[in-house]
Amino acid sequence: MGLLTDTKQRQRLVSVLSRHHQKLSVLLYVVGLVWFLALAYEPLNASTYFSENALLPGLVDSNLPSEFFSLHQYAEALKAEMQKDKKRVPKDWIFRQFQNLGLETYRHNFTIKYPFKMAISQDLVGENIFAILRARRAASTEALVMATPLRAASTTKTQTDGGIAVMLGLAEQFRKNPYWAKDVIFLLSEFDEVGVHAWLDAYHETRSQYVIPDELPGRSGAIQAAINLEIPRDKIQYVNIKIEGLNGQLPNLDLFNLAVRLCRREQVLVTFHHRSDHYEADSWDSFQHSLVTMLHMMWSQASGAPSGGHGLFHRYHIEALTLEGVRFKKGFKNHPLEKIARVTEGIFRSLNNLLERFHQSFFFYLLPATDRYVSIGLYMPPFGLMVAAAAIKISFSLLHSKLFCMNSNEGKKCEKISGETTEGQHQSPGEETDGTQDVSLNEDSDDEFEVRKMTGLLTVTPMILVSFLLGLMAYTAPYILTRFTPSMKMKPDDTILFGILAVFSAALSYPYLMSRKAAPEDQLTVDWRLLQCVGLFMQGLVLMALSVMNISLAFFLAASSIPVTGFIKGTNQRVLRVLQLFALLVISPLGLLIIASLVNASLEKNFSGKLVDLVAGGYEHMKEMIFLLLVDQYLFSSWTYTIICFAILPTWLVFWAVPFNSP
């Protein structure tokens, strides 16, 4: 209480913190970063467990026959059909198989209108197939979805003919059992995520501008959960679980735990991001392995793009994940389709026991292993420390800003706090002044009045408004520029890339335009400390809000930008200004995109390690990333590009103007 009531002690504390606030900011950032990364160490995270006891995973015996002959028959028949035309999927044959099982089988058509007036002049028409197994013990008020994409034999992605065979075999077995309390919907989607999106929009009676579905001829009740299968026909080495959804959404942790538990029960090797758990706990190698696994997950989540067809279900609060079967190399043990079918059956038997939606376990988490998790209560404190480093900088930069000095009752309060002195402070209180000094004081007061007119929030307001206007230009530029694509005979992805580069280059010059030559009374005088405070406030607000939606994107932005934005300042020294501008360019949205493209290129399996291949691969990845960001925005209503244009870019542009202002 003495610190709160004693003015001298409080002023002394403020003076000490003011002198050492840079060191305190660095300390908070380093502690927060190290703490966050250390959460991958097993003693600092928690073991997974089931919050929803109604799932009862693995407590029932499988009803599948020991020799699943019908599954192999479906697999062989489907193989023969697909060999007839490797570029097409035998949808008619699949439709007849579901009809022969006695299920309600439907076709669902949809139309894709590509944005940006791409080279495809005509709209694409797709067709989904879905069948409904009605529960005997319920009135079709709830449903579960088993989905798989329709991919031809010539696809470069994971083949899904094994998933179709598993779906047909399980549909035959499910129909024989009377214990189903929920309908089971078997969905086969064309064009992968686009087909799932069209079917979900039609199921929930919503419409979008670019994916136009027809009305569904049949439907069931509220969908509780969905499992997406990407299973090849044979040679399955392990099952990889994919959970990242649109805009960084994740399924309930209980669903992930359920899939892992049942895979291990059937002795199927299960991985997360193609990485199995380390065999030795509490070791340095184990920590490194877990950290890399967690960073792989964060890298995928930060993109905001769904990692599979399951990611579109999250928009409707439907918990979903993808089981991806990965083919093995020579010398590895393979898992037959029967094991995958038993895992899938066990998941649906457990989901059938649910009495309500998933709600008890975590929706916000990170996974360093398949049996370990980092909850939101563990990763938010270190992330908060990283953002607090910028908050401390705001407080003490504001104390030194001219706005605070002009508004304070003590004319030289800023100088006193910072320990600086002026000539007036060396003068003794009883010293007399002559008329000349009175004249100089009057002139100083006039100068102070002029400075007061030219400083304050009004001077930084134009900078902020221009930053948001440039963000609006970046948001609308792809849509406008692609209107000229046919006349320029350029590909849409090239047009978008060059257009964004042009807008970004124009944005770099706005501080020059704001400080153009003019008469002294008309010049815009900007308090760079106040401008930095506004930028840091915007940055902290964006990072904290983003951390609730997508912690991975917020972490990568904070880890890369806070060390730079907290230490830039206005300067007249050309070398220091160039160094600051170079550091700001590295952490700019375009700079981070280039770095991400180079990282993705280096992670490619066929990467040769040569610098030329890295640059070429990075360029292709950058074009693809920008194009997919925009396509996901228009087709799936992704938020990532919108957040970049209206939050991340304007905040960075505010910092970009700071070094151009003299102290």
Side-chain angles (χ1 to χ4, degrees):
M1 293 299 294
L3 183 61
L4 298 176
T5 57
D6 192 343
T7 306
K8 293 183 179 180
Q9 292 290 337
R10 187 168 63 249
Q11 187 175 0
R12 184 179 303 174
L13 177 62
V14 173
S15 178
V16 172
L17 292 177
S18 178
R19 289 196 301 268
H20 302 287
H21 72 277
Q22 294 277 23
K23 299 177 183 178
L24 183 59
S25 296
V26 173
L27 179 63
L28 288 177
Y29 171 80
V30 172
V31 170
L33 180 63
V34 173
W35 185 2
F36 194 101
L37 297 178
L39 292 175
Y41 187 48
E42 184 167 322
L44 298 181
N45 51 52
S47 177
T48 56
Y49 62 93
F50 284 95
S51 299
E52 184 57 74
N53 294 323
L55 288 172
L56 301 174
L59 295 185
V60 295
D61 295 329
S62 174
N63 287 338
L64 299 182
S66 57
E67 297 293 338
F68 206 163
F69 293 110
S70 60
L71 175 61
H72 292 286
Q73 291 174 355
Y74 284 124
E76 292 299 325
L78 180 60
K79 178 182 177 181
E81 291 291 330
M82 296 187 73
Q83 291 298 323
K84 295 179 181 178
D85 189 351
K86 294 186 177 182
K87 294 183 179 181
R88 301 186 64 181
V89 180
K91 290 185 286 187
D92 293 335
W93 180 87
I94 296 172
F95 185 86
R96 289 195 303 271
Q97 299 305 312
F98 278 108
Q99 275 190 328
N100 295 337
L101 293 175
L103 304 183
E104 299 179 16
T105 310
Y106 306 98
R107 299 177 187 267
H108 174 241
N109 298 319
F110 59 92
T111 304
I112 306 173
K113 293 185 176 181
Y114 276 93
F116 312 126
K117 290 188 175 181
M118 291 195 291
I120 303 175
S121 58
Q122 297 182 351
D123 298 335
L124 282 181
V125 178
E127 183 184 59
N128 297 325
I129 299 174
F130 69 101
I132 303 177
L133 172 64
R134 300 291 181 181
R136 306 181 190 178
R137 300 167 52 191
S140 295
T141 57
E142 295 178 338
L144 304 172
V145 174
M146 184 186 303
T148 189
L150 293 171
R151 294 174 183 170
S154 59
T155 182
T156 57
K157 300 180 180 180
T158 302
Q159 293 184 354
T160 59
D161 48 350
I164 298 173
V166 169
M167 184 179 292
L168 290 169
L170 290 179
E172 180 180 344
Q173 295 298 319
F174 287 178
R175 183 175 172 273
K176 300 176 182 178
N177 300 315
Y179 47 68
W180 293 105
K182 297 177 175 62
D183 293 352
V184 180
I185 303 175
F186 302 92
L187 172 64
L188 298 99
S189 60
E190 194 171 12
F191 303 131
D192 292 7
E193 290 89 351
V194 180
V196 175
H197 175 67
W199 187 84
L200 285 172
D201 278 359
Y203 195 89
H204 296 90
E205 298 182 351
T206 59
R207 293 291 181 269
S208 66
Q209 182 179 357
Y210 298 99
V211 181
I212 305 173
D214 294 347
E215 292 187 4
L216 284 182
R219 66 179 65 245
S220 180
I223 301 174
Q224 304 293 306
I227 302 296
N228 186 51
L229 301 177
E230 296 182 3
I231 308 296
R233 181 178 60 257
D234 54 8
K235 300 180 180 179
I236 301 173
Q237 178 189 351
Y238 60 87
V239 171
N240 182 57
I241 301 180
K242 299 192 288 189
I243 61 174
E244 295 82 13
L246 189 66
N247 299 318
Q249 290 180 277
L250 300 174
N252 190 274
L253 187 57
D254 272 346
L255 183 61
F256 177 82
N257 296 338
L258 177 64
V260 172
R261 178 73 62 88
L262 292 173
C263 283
R264 289 177 175 167
R265 181 198 177 194
E266 298 297 333
Q267 298 181 349
V268 175
L269 179 61
V270 59
T271 65
F272 182 59
H273 283 276
H274 303 280
R275 296 177 61 84
S276 58
D277 296 346
H278 199 270
Y279 62 91
E280 184 180 0
D282 296 343
S283 65
W284 174 250
D285 292 338
S286 176
F287 166 68
Q288 288 181 309
H289 186 88
S290 300
L291 178 60
V292 172
T293 303
M294 187 175 75
L295 290 176
H296 271 282
M297 175 196 173
M298 295 176 65
W299 190 258
S300 176
Q301 186 188 18
S303 67
S307 57
H310 67 279
L312 282 304
F313 287 90
H314 297 165
R315 294 180 59 212
Y316 298 95
H317 192 31
I318 300 171
E319 309 310 315
L321 54 77
T322 292
L323 300 180
E324 178 190 18
V326 180
R327 291 196 169 213
F328 76 101
K329 300 177 182 178
K330 283 187 177 181
F332 286 93
K333 177 183 178 182
N334 65 320
H335 300 292
L337 282 179
E338 289 94 332
K339 286 191 174 182
I340 308 300
R342 295 183 192 280
V343 171
T344 309
E345 185 218 17
I347 293 175
F348 276 81
R349 290 284 299 273
S350 295
L351 295 174
N352 186 56
N353 296 331
L354 283 177
L355 301 177
E356 52 190 344
R357 287 184 178 272
F358 283 100
H359 68 282
Q360 293 195 30
S361 191
F362 295 95
F363 290 93
F364 304 97
Y365 54 86
L366 299 173
L367 296 176
T370 58
D371 58 349
R372 311 291 298 183
Y373 76 101
V374 180
S375 69
I376 186 173
L378 292 177
Y379 65 65
M380 282 304 289
F383 181 80
L385 285 182
M386 296 172 63
V387 179
I392 290 178
K393 185 67 178 179
I394 294 175
S395 303
F396 291 98
S397 293
L398 190 60
L399 286 176
H400 296 296
S401 67
K402 295 178 182 179
L403 176 64
F404 184 84
C405 295
M406 293 299 104
N407 292 335
S408 63
N409 294 327
E410 304 175 19
K412 297 176 181 178
K413 186 172 181 179
C414 296
E415 287 80 359
K416 290 180 181 179
I417 290 175
S418 60
E420 300 174 358
T421 59
T422 60
E423 295 181 0
Q425 287 174 302
H426 292 294
Q427 185 178 359
S428 60
E431 188 176 350
E432 295 181 359
T433 58
D434 54 11
T436 306
Q437 291 173 329
D438 292 338
V439 173
S440 63
L441 288 175
N442 291 334
E443 291 177 356
D444 292 341
S445 63
D446 293 339
D447 294 340
E448 183 181 352
F449 178 75
E450 291 299 328
V451 171
R452 187 179 302 183
K453 290 196 306 180
M454 295 186 296
T455 58
L457 288 174
L458 290 179
T459 61
V460 300
T461 301
M463 296 284 187
I464 300 172
L465 292 178
V466 170
S467 300
F468 280 99
L469 286 175
L470 291 171
L472 180 61
M473 287 179 57
Y475 183 79
T476 57
Y479 185 82
I480 296 174
L481 292 174
T482 48
R483 292 295 178 267
F484 303 100
T485 297
S487 59
M488 293 186 295
K489 296 182 180 180
M490 293 178 62
K491 295 181 179 179
D493 52 352
D494 291 327
T495 303
I496 292 172
L497 176 61
F498 296 144
I500 290 178
L501 289 175
V503 173
F504 184 77
S505 301
L508 296 181
S509 62
Y510 96 97
Y512 291 103
L513 301 178
M514 299 293 291
S515 60
R516 67 185 187 279
K517 293 183 179 180
E521 62 274 8
D522 296 332
Q523 282 186 351
L524 180 63
T525 304
V526 179
D527 183 1
W528 69 266
R529 293 184 185 274
L530 181 59
L531 186 62
Q532 185 187 34
C533 289
V534 173
L536 290 172
F537 177 78
M538 293 170 59
Q539 182 187 54
L541 188 64
V542 169
L543 290 177
M544 292 306 295
L546 192 58
S547 66
V548 179
M549 300 184 296
N550 190 336
I551 181 60
S552 301
L553 179 59
F555 171 77
F556 287 125
L557 288 174
S560 59
S561 62
I562 289 179
V564 177
T565 58
F567 297 96
I568 60 172
K569 61 180 181 179
T571 180
N572 290 324
Q573 300 179 13
R574 181 173 297 180
V575 176
L576 181 58
R577 178 179 295 177
V578 171
L579 290 176
Q580 291 185 122
L581 294 178
F582 176 75
L584 285 169
L585 280 176
V586 172
I587 66 165
S588 66
L590 185 61
L592 294 178
L593 184 62
I594 293 174
I595 294 174
S597 302
L598 294 175
V599 171
N600 287 337
S602 64
L603 294 177
E604 290 286 340
K605 294 181 179 179
N606 56 354
F607 176 60
S608 63
K610 297 180 180 179
L611 181 61
V612 177
D613 294 337
L614 179 64
V615 174
Y619 175 74
E620 294 298 328
H621 275 281
M622 185 170 63
K623 283 201 309 181
E624 182 182 2
M625 288 175 65
I626 295 176
F627 188 72
L628 291 181
L629 277 176
L630 292 165
V631 170
D632 287 347
Q633 178 194 3
Y634 283 94
L635 295 185
F636 305 140
S637 302
S638 173
W639 301 340
T640 305
Y641 189 73
T642 305
I643 291 174
I644 292 174
C645 293
F646 291 109
I648 299 174
L649 179 60
T651 302
W652 179 82
L653 288 174
V654 170
F655 290 113
W656 178 252
V658 172
F660 289 94
N661 294 279
S662 302

